[in-house]
Amino acid sequence: MKSIDVYKQYFSAFCDFDGDVRKGASVVLNATTEEGNVEYKVCVSFFLHEDEEDFRISYDRYFEKILFSGKGRRSKKRDSEYLETVRETANEIAAENNAQIHWDRPLTDARTDTL
């Protein structure tokens, strides 16, 4: 199995988790390939982010949504297609969990590993 983060970026966010406010979000587009199958998913993890240096990711507020899972392989076309849906999908995940991602306040530059 080969798993790669096609896109990853940290943003300012808000997520109240039982009174424990999370102020950051890690947003990832992940592709996993194995034996002729490929899976693309968007992963969002809300983390404390208590100061500018705090990027401790806890997985108690981790959510993911599978965009595609089936026969095939990772391709430039698929990377591009699913990369275009990252924000919309991450917003859906946030809304389902009473959270917000502040897209206009990135905490890091985007890291991409596209074909």
Side-chain angles (χ1 to χ4, degrees), residues 73-100:
R73 61 182 178 83
R74 184 174 166 226
S75 69
K76 186 179 236 178
K77 180 180 176 185
R78 280 189 169 153
D79 281 5
S80 178
E81 177 183 336
Y82 295 120
L83 195 52
E84 290 179 17
T85 69
V86 167
R87 286 190 181 202
E88 178 183 339
T89 305
N91 280 336
E92 290 172 10
I93 290 170
E96 290 168 2
N97 294 283
N98 298 314
Q100 299 172 344

Side-chain angles (χ1 to χ4, degrees), residues 5 11 17 23 28 33 35 37 46 52 64 66 69 73 75 97 107 115:
D5 292 339
F11 293 91
F17 178 49
K23 297 178 184 175
V28 175
T33 57
E35 298 179 6
N37 293 304
F46 294 96
E52 290 180 16
E64 62 184 45
I66 296 172
S69 184
R73 61 182 178 83
S75 69
N97 294 283
L107 301 174
L115 294 172

Side-chain angles (χ1 to χ4, degrees), residues 53-65:
E53 303 294 319
D54 184 12
F55 288 90
R56 295 172 293 156
I57 305 296
S58 57
Y59 289 96
D60 58 350
R61 294 277 70 183
Y62 170 87
F63 308 95
E64 62 184 45
K65 183 172 184 178

Side-chain angles (χ1 to χ4, degrees), residues 3 5 7-9 25-32 39-46 59 61-67 86 89-90 93 101 103:
S3 180
D5 292 339
Y7 164 87
K8 184 173 189 174
Q9 190 168 10
S26 166
V27 179
V28 175
L29 172 63
N30 178 271
T32 302
E39 179 178 274
Y40 281 88
K41 63 185 172 183
V42 172
C43 310
V44 179
S45 183
F46 294 96
Y59 289 96
R61 294 277 70 183
Y62 170 87
F63 308 95
E64 62 184 45
K65 183 172 184 178
I66 296 172
L67 302 175
V86 167
T89 305
I93 290 170
I101 300 168
W103 299 106

